[in-house]
Amino acid sequence: MEPEFVIGWRPLLHSWLDVLRHDEEHDDESQKADAERVVHPFQITPEKRATIEFLFEWLVEPCIAFVRRECVEMSPTVDANLIQSMINVMESMLEEIYVDADGHAMAELRKGTGASKAKKKKEVKNHDEVIECCFLYALIWSVGATCDLDDRNNFSTFLRAIMEDINQIEEQWPGVRRSLEVRQWKIPEFPDNKETYEWSLNMPKGGGVHDWAYSSTDSKWKKWEDTLTKYEVAAGTPFQDVVVPTVYTAQFDYMLDLLLTHDKKVLVCGPTG
């Protein structure tokens, strides 16, 4: 049998979280003289680890099942590939926010309409908001980013629906429900016995989920078009050298800057044009 169906994607998540919260003092292996030291630029508390684990258990499996059952991918993937991509995006965002090693990625979201040139990186006050929004953005641009445009819209509808009420899978997507039964997934218990999860900062309801980017510097979700600067073609510029910024170029610029400056590998695929 394939390891993907036996082991699953959770070891990838847990090993990543172990690195973010590695307690060498109580780890016998870490005390050995030849032990490899793992140094990470930021750490998370046990409470924040529990939040991340809950969010993954709540939304990741249903979203993967939806992509496998209802979508056509531009490039074939396996579950572990999608999860590693999601971890890469989320880790890069958290590092950009908490460490600000280069400031490039957040600058991409500050330079658009209404941005202030004097605005500086502010202290993070709501860590729940940061973790939740980085998780949601990473989910959208990993698990929800490999399918074509039509299926991205379908993925957006599905994700918004299950965030509001996870039980909608039973009525509206019976195929996804059967896939989740095969995967032996069960709805996790929500905090404080509520019917769904209460986000610290809700994504706006207008448009699709791919239309929004999280800006920690402004503590809000921003439309991609709002990150574009005014563009003017210099006189005498050859036509073939004119590249007009669009929502798509803004997305590519941000994602490439975010991942490459944090030493993450990137594969860009899709239709021409």
Side-chain angles (χ1 to χ4, degrees):
M1 295 183 68
E2 293 294 330
E4 177 179 354
F5 300 107
V6 179
I7 301 175
W9 52 263
R10 288 170 181 79
L12 290 172
L13 171 65
H14 295 154
S15 62
W16 173 57
L17 293 175
D18 287 344
V19 171
L20 296 187
R21 187 63 180 175
H22 189 61
D23 189 359
E24 293 188 353
E25 183 179 350
H26 299 90
D27 185 358
D28 293 336
E29 290 297 320
S30 297
Q31 303 305 314
K32 295 180 179 179
D34 60 345
E36 180 182 357
R37 294 291 183 261
V38 179
V39 180
H40 204 275
F42 68 92
Q43 290 186 328
I44 59 173
T45 64
E47 292 77 13
K48 297 302 176 269
R49 173 176 178 142
T51 298
I52 294 173
E53 289 178 329
F54 170 80
L55 292 172
F56 269 80
E57 287 295 335
W58 172 35
L59 293 177
V60 168
E61 200 77 78
C63 286
I64 291 179
F66 180 83
V67 170
R68 298 286 177 246
R69 181 81 185 190
E70 304 289 340
C71 301
V72 176
E73 292 185 295
M74 291 181 286
S75 179
T77 64
V78 295
D79 293 358
N81 171 214
L82 294 178
I83 296 303
Q84 189 58 60
S85 297
M86 181 175 176
I87 289 173
N88 286 344
V89 174
M90 186 173 180
E91 181 183 89
S92 298
M93 293 184 72
L94 291 174
E95 186 172 330
E96 194 77 24
I97 293 168
Y98 286 124
V99 182
D100 196 27
D102 50 54
H104 292 166
M106 289 300 113
E108 289 294 317
L109 297 181
R110 285 200 301 265
K111 68 184 183 182
T113 57
S116 172
K117 294 183 179 180
K119 184 175 289 185
K120 297 181 179 180
K121 175 180 169 64
K122 67 177 184 179
E123 180 183 356
V124 176
K125 295 182 178 180
N126 191 336
H127 296 276
D128 286 334
E129 174 198 307
V130 167
I131 288 176
E132 292 168 1
C133 292
C134 288
F135 163 84
L136 185 55
Y137 180 89
L139 174 66
I140 293 167
W141 287 100
S142 56
V143 178
T146 62
C147 45
D148 59 25
L149 180 58
D150 290 338
D151 282 332
R152 279 192 180 188
N153 294 332
N154 295 332
F155 178 87
S156 176
T157 299
F158 175 78
L159 180 56
R160 286 189 182 277
I162 65 173
M163 285 195 296
E164 182 176 335
D165 182 6
I166 193 68
N167 294 300
Q168 292 191 54
I169 296 176
E170 182 80 22
E171 301 177 0
Q172 299 191 39
W173 294 279
V176 175
R177 176 185 58 79
R178 288 191 291 271
S179 294
L180 290 172
E181 290 176 352
V182 173
R183 292 169 174 265
Q184 299 182 333
W185 176 83
K186 296 182 179 180
I187 300 175
E189 183 176 339
F190 292 100
D192 301 324
N193 295 319
K194 295 182 179 179
E195 295 183 355
T196 191
Y197 189 80
E198 293 186 359
W199 300 91
S200 300
L201 178 65
N202 287 307
M203 176 181 285
K205 294 185 178 298
V209 294
H210 297 86
D211 296 334
W212 299 92
Y214 172 63
S215 173
S216 67
T217 55
D218 299 316
S219 294
K220 69 177 183 180
W221 291 93
K222 300 179 68 173
K223 279 216 164 187
W224 284 107
E225 52 259 39
D226 292 337
T227 68
L228 298 174
T229 55
K230 184 178 180 180
Y231 178 74
E232 296 181 355
V233 180
T237 303
F239 178 78
Q240 66 271 17
D241 292 341
V242 176
V243 180
V244 179
T246 66
V247 167
Y248 298 107
T249 61
Q251 293 169 348
F252 277 119
D253 286 347
Y254 175 73
M255 292 300 295
L256 288 173
D257 181 88
L258 175 70
L259 294 170
L260 292 177
T261 56
H262 292 87
D263 299 322
K264 310 299 184 186
K265 296 179 176 63
V266 179
L267 172 65
V268 179
C269 61
T272 59

